[in-house]
Each structure stands twice: as structure tokens, then as C-alpha cells.
Amino acid sequence: MSVLLSDVVSGSAVGLRGRLWRLSAAELRAAAVEASAEILRLEAVRVAVVDELSMRPDDQVIASRGVGSWLAANTMLQVRDGKKIAALGAALRPFPAVAARFDCGDCSFDHAVLIVAFCESPPKGMPEEALPRCIDLLLAAASGVEATTTKVRHVIATLERVFESDEIPPAEDVDLNELRIASTLNGRVVVRGDFDALTGEMLLSALSNLTMPTPAPDGTPDARSAAKRTADGFTELIRRYLDCAKTGSDGGQRPHVNVHINARDLAEHRACAAAPSDGGEPRSDLDVGHMPWLGPLSVSQTRLLGCDCFLSTVLLDAHGAPLDARPGKRLVNAEQRVALIARDKGCAFPGCTCVPAWTDAHHIRHWANGGPTVMNNLVLLCRSHHRLMHRKAGFVGKWEIRMGVDNKPWFIPPPSIDPGQHPRPANTTFKT
């Protein structure tokens, strides 16, 4: 690190903006990463110090009604934030593995909060001996630069479904559903609802195509906010239902909900997260029921849906990757799209959280260059990453996609991003 770059990270921000022009783009990126790592380090230091102070409070802390309130009173933090810091320090004490990962800066504050919350209130159906393995799974999802809150929540939700108890999970309890519709003084209507995951899945699926951005007639981008597009889509959904009702039709068949589950897990699921596989290695995939929009679904609910639904058969290989044997066409058919969603679960590009409904099927080797329309030459990408793969204007370098020995896509970044060009797994491959 150059002297100037070192000053940027360790020095004051006063007057810094006037000096940053001297740094190259590579140095600016390095400074941003280094500053972020320093923030994580100092965050861990603060949690440890505050926790120690909470166990040995002096008169000032006692007078402030707790260490969290004292911290807020002596810093620019809000009281709720000071209490969250104190609470995390206390919560980490019984879980040294989580504390160690947090202290070394490989797990963010928010991710540590999620993990200890799961550890303190594990699923009622989870045996005590499974907790260390579950902690390993959660830390794997929360560690490294590719960690996202979505991944951590996905693993938590999956573990809650794997270790089902006789009680209905809150996400599937229809008795908790509420929808309040009230008129306001200015003649408008306020809608507030709280639904189970399956109802939410149906609603999001029905709204998906109706809430997509639509360019104006002159080609300019859609200026509506996401909330406005959702409101417009909901209005159109109601209008279509009423139009259908006028004709005397019952609306046709019910909305489809796609749920993916491995047959093995449908039969034997309760201890699959804690038990090793047949080869003695821990399992890397937690395959319970999975919905494209709202993620994991309990096996009992999946069985219930399986009694009254249309089923699309997807053949899977030993790695759980769908197979395909129809290469003679350019466009992906409905069966292939179902298989792609089962494999990629949305945009496969590392770090992307785009849902399946907003993705395109991309030919890894272009059709015009002889690339067949088969599973090992297809990958789901959102429109932004699809454009990137076709050399987005102004982007230096080119990402490559290769199918791994697991029959799943791997992404090779250009040298401008990773000089070593180390392959990165698809976004939905949760390494555990």
C-alpha cells in the first residue's frame, strides 16, 4: 500500500475529498475495501469492550441504566443502537465459534445477530447435537465477501423447515393471515396485509409480469418507482379478475405455484442437515421444499401441495443438476425453463438475487456459433447480467461461464476484476 493510500485509510476524512484525485481507480477500490475491513475490526472491538464493561459496570454505567444507554449518551449512537451492541456482546458469550468469526472480521454485525438469534431459539424439532453443525452452515453462509443477508436468512429458513416440529411454522400458519382495507379522510384506500408464505408466493407470482418496468412510447426508461409499479400491477390484477368474472367464467385454473424438492428429502428429511451423506462428507445442499419467490417451504406443506397440483418431472443427476435431451432448437421450451429454475433458482450470476421470473435463458456458447439448446449450455441470467455477458458497452474485460463437474454453472471473472481468474460458483450454490 502506498503512503498516500495508507493515509487515506488510517487518517481523517477532513480534506480527504480534495486529495482523492491523486489515486488511481485500483487504489480507490483498495482503499474502499481496506476501510470496510477496518470498520468490521473496530465494530468487533467495540462489541467486546462494551460487553466487558457490562460485566464490570462502574458508577457512570449504572447511573445510565445500562451500558447500551451509557454508550449512546457518550457517542453519536441512538439508544436502540447502543443496546443492540450490548445485546450482541452478551449473546456471543455462549457461542465461541460465532464470536471468533465475528472478532476476526469475517462476519458482519448484522449477520452475527441473525446467527445468535437462531442459536438462542433453535427450531423445536432440532436435536441439541445438531447445533454445532447448524452453526457451521450459518457461518459458511455469513463469511467472506460473497456473504449476503439473503443467503444467511435462506439457510436459517431452510434449517427451520428441515427440523420441523408438530407445530405449524409461523410462515405457514394461515390463521395468522390478516388483510385490512380502510378508507382515508381524503377518499383514498389504505391496504395492509400479513400473509403466510404460500399466499405470498401466489401474490408475487401473479404480480410479477404486471410490475415489470415498461419503457415509454419514445423509448425512455420507466420513471415509476417500484412501489408505484406494484400498485399499478395490483390494480391491473383486480381489473383482470373482474373482467373474467363478468363473463361467467371462474377464472380458469388456479395460479401455479412451483415447488422444487428432492424425492429423497420428501421421504427422509428430519435429520438431513446434521447427518453426513453416504460418502461420509457433510451435505452441502439443504434440499427442502423451495419456492422461487419466498424460498424454503416445510416438507409437510410440500406434501400437501403435491396431493393437488400439476407436476413437471425434472430428471436430476447425482449432483442434483437437471438433465436435458432436446438440443435441436434455439428457444428454451417450458420443460427446460422449469429445469433451469430448479437448478439456478434465479439469476445465477455471483451476488445477484434476481428471482426466476425476471431472468432470461442464456446460451453459454451462442446458438449462432453452434451452441446447442441443452441444459449444460444454458444458464438463467437477469437482464442486466445477460447484457454483461454479451459485452456491455463500456465494460472492460469479459466474464466467462463454464459448466463444472457438478453440471452447474461457474463464472470466471475477467483479469481486470481477478488477475488469477478464479472460478466462482453460481449465486445459488450455497457453500457450506
Side-chain angles (χ1 to χ4, degrees):
M1 183 182 294
S2 66
V3 175
L4 180 58
L5 185 57
S6 177
D7 292 342
V8 168
V9 176
S10 61
S12 171
V14 177
L16 178 61
R17 295 176 183 272
R19 294 185 286 122
L20 289 178
W21 65 269
R22 299 170 58 185
L23 298 182
S24 65
E27 289 175 319
L28 288 172
R29 284 189 283 105
V33 171
E34 187 69 21
S36 298
E38 187 70 3
I39 290 171
L40 288 177
R41 184 186 70 82
L42 292 174
E43 188 74 79
V45 169
R46 181 168 63 180
V47 169
V49 171
V50 169
D51 186 46
E52 183 67 23
L53 185 59
S54 71
M55 293 186 289
R56 296 191 289 120
D58 60 4
D59 291 344
Q60 290 192 38
V61 172
I62 295 172
S64 298
R65 299 175 61 186
V67 68
S69 298
W70 169 85
L71 181 64
N74 289 273
T75 64
M76 297 179 69
L77 291 172
Q78 299 296 312
V79 173
R80 64 177 181 273
D81 295 325
K83 290 184 176 180
K84 284 176 62 177
I85 292 169
L88 178 59
L92 286 172
R93 294 176 206 160
F95 309 108
V98 183
R101 193 70 63 90
F102 176 67
D103 291 345
C104 72
D106 201 28
C107 178
S108 71
F109 184 97
D110 291 338
H111 292 169
V113 170
L114 287 173
I115 294 173
V116 295
F118 173 87
C119 295
E120 288 177 335
S121 300
K124 293 183 179 180
M126 187 181 80
E128 205 172 306
E129 59 270 18
L131 182 60
R133 173 59 178 153
C134 292
I135 291 176
D136 290 342
L137 291 170
L138 291 166
L139 288 175
S143 300
V145 296
E146 294 182 356
T148 64
T149 301
T150 300
K151 288 185 177 182
V152 178
R153 290 188 183 278
H154 177 93
V155 174
I156 290 174
T158 301
L159 290 172
E160 289 174 345
R161 301 303 186 273
V162 166
F163 296 109
E164 296 176 29
S165 65
D166 293 334
E167 297 184 5
I168 301 175
E172 298 171 10
D173 190 351
V174 297
D175 290 337
L176 300 178
N177 288 2
E178 292 182 342
L179 180 64
R180 303 181 186 276
I181 304 176
S183 58
T184 64
L185 293 177
N186 63 354
R188 296 185 63 80
V189 174
V190 174
V191 180
R192 174 177 292 181
D194 181 6
F195 296 103
D196 63 284
L198 181 58
T199 303
E201 180 78 11
M202 289 189 290
L203 179 61
L204 292 173
S205 297
L207 287 173
S208 175
N209 189 53
L210 302 176
T211 57
M212 293 287 286
T214 305
D218 60 358
T220 55
D222 195 332
R224 297 176 298 167
S225 65
K228 181 64 170 67
R229 294 200 311 271
T230 302
D232 291 346
F234 190 67
T235 302
E236 178 64 20
L237 185 66
I238 297 172
R239 181 181 294 113
R240 293 186 183 187
Y241 169 77
L242 294 177
D243 287 345
C244 183
K246 288 178 185 177
T247 66
S249 169
D250 63 0
Q253 64 184 18
R254 285 170 292 175
H256 293 276
V257 175
N258 293 320
V259 179
H260 309 134
I261 189 165
N262 203 308
R264 175 193 59 197
D265 297 318
L266 196 58
E268 300 290 339
H269 66 278
R270 191 167 296 274
C272 63
S277 63
D278 295 339
E281 293 296 326
R283 291 191 52 197
S284 61
D285 291 322
L286 299 175
D287 290 330
V288 295
H290 178 88
M291 297 184 295
W293 280 103
L294 293 176
L297 186 69
S298 68
V299 175
S300 60
Q301 182 76 350
T302 305
R303 288 195 182 112
L304 178 63
L305 291 175
C307 293
D308 183 22
C309 66
F310 291 101
L311 296 178
S312 297
T313 302
V314 180
L315 298 178
L316 306 178
D317 66 9
H319 300 286
L323 303 173
D324 185 273
R326 298 184 182 180
K329 56 191 180 304
R330 180 177 65 87
L331 299 178
V332 173
N333 62 26
E335 291 79 7
Q336 286 175 314
R337 178 133 187 119
V338 168
L340 284 170
I341 292 174
R343 186 192 70 190
D344 296 342
K345 298 181 176 65
C347 179
F349 193 89
C352 186
T353 58
C354 196
V355 296
W358 297 348
T359 59
D360 300 328
H362 168 70
H363 284 74
I364 298 174
R365 182 185 177 194
H366 200 280
W367 171 265
N369 296 328
T373 306
V374 296
M375 290 298 297
N376 276 358
N377 194 47
L378 295 171
V379 62
L380 289 183
L381 296 174
C382 67
R383 189 58 54 85
S384 176
H385 288 123
H386 200 176
R387 285 196 299 265
L388 182 65
M389 290 301 159
H390 288 279
R391 296 300 294 271
K392 183 177 181 180
F395 187 80
V396 179
K398 183 178 181 181
W399 284 78
E400 295 182 19
I401 307 176
R402 297 176 187 169
M403 299 304 295
V405 294
D406 55 359
N407 286 327
K408 296 181 181 180
W410 287 72
F411 292 75
I412 295 93
S416 60
I417 293 179
D418 180 4
Q421 293 191 280
H422 299 99
R424 303 182 183 186
N427 182 55
T428 51
T429 302
F430 294 96
K431 292 298 179 183
T432 54

PDB file of all heavy atoms in Angstrom, residues 46-58:
ATOM      1  N   ARG A  46     -15.441  -2.787  19.537  1.00  0.00           N
ATOM      2  CA  ARG A  46     -16.443  -2.086  20.345  1.00  0.00           C
ATOM      3  C   ARG A  46     -17.377  -3.058  21.052  1.00  0.00           C
ATOM      4  O   ARG A  46     -17.701  -2.880  22.241  1.00  0.00           O
ATOM      5  CB  ARG A  46     -17.241  -1.130  19.463  1.00  0.00           C
ATOM      6  CG  ARG A  46     -18.291  -0.343  20.223  1.00  0.00           C
ATOM      7  CD  ARG A  46     -18.873   0.791  19.405  1.00  0.00           C
ATOM      8  NE  ARG A  46     -19.573   0.327  18.221  1.00  0.00           N
ATOM      9  CZ  ARG A  46     -20.173   1.136  17.350  1.00  0.00           C
ATOM     10  NH1 ARG A  46     -20.142   2.456  17.542  1.00  0.00           N
ATOM     11  NH2 ARG A  46     -20.791   0.651  16.289  1.00  0.00           N
ATOM     12  N   VAL A  47     -17.817  -4.096  20.355  1.00  0.00           N
ATOM     13  CA  VAL A  47     -18.712  -5.080  20.974  1.00  0.00           C
ATOM     14  C   VAL A  47     -18.012  -5.752  22.155  1.00  0.00           C
ATOM     15  O   VAL A  47     -18.614  -5.934  23.227  1.00  0.00           O
ATOM     16  CB  VAL A  47     -19.170  -6.126  19.935  1.00  0.00           C
ATOM     17  CG1 VAL A  47     -19.867  -7.296  20.611  1.00  0.00           C
ATOM     18  CG2 VAL A  47     -20.097  -5.488  18.907  1.00  0.00           C
ATOM     19  N   ALA A  48     -16.738  -6.142  21.966  1.00  0.00           N
ATOM     20  CA  ALA A  48     -16.002  -6.818  23.046  1.00  0.00           C
ATOM     21  C   ALA A  48     -15.809  -5.902  24.244  1.00  0.00           C
ATOM     22  O   ALA A  48     -15.995  -6.326  25.406  1.00  0.00           O
ATOM     23  CB  ALA A  48     -14.657  -7.303  22.517  1.00  0.00           C
ATOM     24  N   VAL A  49     -15.447  -4.635  23.997  1.00  0.00           N
ATOM     25  CA  VAL A  49     -15.211  -3.688  25.099  1.00  0.00           C
ATOM     26  C   VAL A  49     -16.507  -3.402  25.849  1.00  0.00           C
ATOM     27  O   VAL A  49     -16.540  -3.393  27.092  1.00  0.00           O
ATOM     28  CB  VAL A  49     -14.599  -2.384  24.546  1.00  0.00           C
ATOM     29  CG1 VAL A  49     -14.563  -1.308  25.628  1.00  0.00           C
ATOM     30  CG2 VAL A  49     -13.197  -2.632  24.014  1.00  0.00           C
ATOM     31  N   VAL A  50     -17.579  -3.159  25.096  1.00  0.00           N
ATOM     32  CA  VAL A  50     -18.870  -2.865  25.730  1.00  0.00           C
ATOM     33  C   VAL A  50     -19.356  -4.064  26.540  1.00  0.00           C
ATOM     34  O   VAL A  50     -19.908  -3.911  27.638  1.00  0.00           O
ATOM     35  CB  VAL A  50     -19.902  -2.462  24.666  1.00  0.00           C
ATOM     36  CG1 VAL A  50     -21.308  -2.414  25.244  1.00  0.00           C
ATOM     37  CG2 VAL A  50     -19.534  -1.100  24.080  1.00  0.00           C
ATOM     38  N   ASP A  51     -19.145  -5.283  26.027  1.00  0.00           N
ATOM     39  CA  ASP A  51     -19.577  -6.467  26.761  1.00  0.00           C
ATOM     40  C   ASP A  51     -18.798  -6.623  28.055  1.00  0.00           C
ATOM     41  O   ASP A  51     -19.376  -6.956  29.093  1.00  0.00           O
ATOM     42  CB  ASP A  51     -19.397  -7.705  25.874  1.00  0.00           C
ATOM     43  CG  ASP A  51     -19.959  -8.955  26.534  1.00  0.00           C
ATOM     44  OD1 ASP A  51     -21.093  -8.888  27.072  1.00  0.00           O
ATOM     45  OD2 ASP A  51     -19.274  -9.994  26.527  1.00  0.00           O
ATOM     46  N   GLU A  52     -17.494  -6.379  28.008  1.00  0.00           N
ATOM     47  CA  GLU A  52     -16.689  -6.457  29.232  1.00  0.00           C
ATOM     48  C   GLU A  52     -17.132  -5.407  30.235  1.00  0.00           C
ATOM     49  O   GLU A  52     -17.217  -5.671  31.449  1.00  0.00           O
ATOM     50  CB  GLU A  52     -15.210  -6.273  28.894  1.00  0.00           C
ATOM     51  CG  GLU A  52     -14.266  -6.416  30.074  1.00  0.00           C
ATOM     52  CD  GLU A  52     -14.226  -7.831  30.631  1.00  0.00           C
ATOM     53  OE1 GLU A  52     -14.558  -8.780  29.883  1.00  0.00           O
ATOM     54  OE2 GLU A  52     -13.859  -7.989  31.813  1.00  0.00           O
ATOM     55  N   LEU A  53     -17.447  -4.208  29.744  1.00  0.00           N
ATOM     56  CA  LEU A  53     -17.912  -3.137  30.627  1.00  0.00           C
ATOM     57  C   LEU A  53     -19.269  -3.484  31.242  1.00  0.00           C
ATOM     58  O   LEU A  53     -19.541  -3.127  32.394  1.00  0.00           O
ATOM     59  CB  LEU A  53     -18.009  -1.831  29.846  1.00  0.00           C
ATOM     60  CG  LEU A  53     -18.379  -0.569  30.632  1.00  0.00           C
ATOM     61  CD1 LEU A  53     -17.366  -0.309  31.748  1.00  0.00           C
ATOM     62  CD2 LEU A  53     -18.459   0.635  29.695  1.00  0.00           C
ATOM     63  N   SER A  54     -20.106  -4.207  30.490  1.00  0.00           N
ATOM     64  CA  SER A  54     -21.412  -4.591  31.036  1.00  0.00           C
ATOM     65  C   SER A  54     -21.275  -5.571  32.186  1.00  0.00           C
ATOM     66  O   SER A  54     -22.133  -5.618  33.081  1.00  0.00           O
ATOM     67  CB  SER A  54     -22.277  -5.200  29.928  1.00  0.00           C
ATOM     68  OG  SER A  54     -21.787  -6.481  29.551  1.00  0.00           O
ATOM     69  N   MET A  55     -20.197  -6.370  32.182  1.00  0.00           N
ATOM     70  CA  MET A  55     -19.982  -7.325  33.275  1.00  0.00           C
ATOM     71  C   MET A  55     -19.252  -6.686  34.449  1.00  0.00           C
ATOM     72  O   MET A  55     -19.265  -7.228  35.555  1.00  0.00           O
ATOM     73  CB  MET A  55     -19.187  -8.528  32.755  1.00  0.00           C
ATOM     74  CG  MET A  55     -19.956  -9.371  31.750  1.00  0.00           C
ATOM     75  SD  MET A  55     -19.100 -10.886  31.262  1.00  0.00           S
ATOM     76  CE  MET A  55     -17.767 -10.216  30.264  1.00  0.00           C
ATOM     77  N   ARG A  56     -18.622  -5.527  34.241  1.00  0.00           N
ATOM     78  CA  ARG A  56     -17.930  -4.806  35.321  1.00  0.00           C
ATOM     79  C   ARG A  56     -18.323  -3.327  35.284  1.00  0.00           C
ATOM     80  O   ARG A  56     -17.492  -2.456  35.089  1.00  0.00           O
ATOM     81  CB  ARG A  56     -16.416  -4.945  35.181  1.00  0.00           C
ATOM     82  CG  ARG A  56     -15.926  -6.375  35.344  1.00  0.00           C
ATOM     83  CD  ARG A  56     -14.429  -6.473  35.462  1.00  0.00           C
ATOM     84  NE  ARG A  56     -13.747  -6.192  34.207  1.00  0.00           N
ATOM     85  CZ  ARG A  56     -12.875  -5.203  34.032  1.00  0.00           C
ATOM     86  NH1 ARG A  56     -12.618  -4.362  35.010  1.00  0.00           N
ATOM     87  NH2 ARG A  56     -12.290  -5.033  32.864  1.00  0.00           N
ATOM     88  N   PRO A  57     -19.621  -3.039  35.454  1.00  0.00           N
ATOM     89  CA  PRO A  57     -20.088  -1.652  35.337  1.00  0.00           C
ATOM     90  C   PRO A  57     -19.579  -0.782  36.485  1.00  0.00           C
ATOM     91  O   PRO A  57     -19.504  -1.234  37.632  1.00  0.00           O
ATOM     92  CB  PRO A  57     -21.603  -1.785  35.362  1.00  0.00           C
ATOM     93  CG  PRO A  57     -21.852  -3.032  36.160  1.00  0.00           C
ATOM     94  CD  PRO A  57     -20.715  -3.961  35.805  1.00  0.00           C
ATOM     95  N   ASP A  58     -19.244   0.471  36.175  1.00  0.00           N
ATOM     96  CA  ASP A  58     -18.881   1.422  37.225  1.00  0.00           C
ATOM     97  C   ASP A  58     -20.066   2.350  37.467  1.00  0.00           C
ATOM     98  O   ASP A  58     -21.169   2.144  36.955  1.00  0.00           O
ATOM     99  CB  ASP A  58     -17.627   2.201  36.836  1.00  0.00           C
ATOM    100  CG  ASP A  58     -17.807   2.996  35.543  1.00  0.00           C
ATOM    101  OD1 ASP A  58     -18.938   2.990  34.999  1.00  0.00           O
ATOM    102  OD2 ASP A  58     -16.842   3.605  35.075  1.00  0.00           O
TER     103      ASP A  58
END
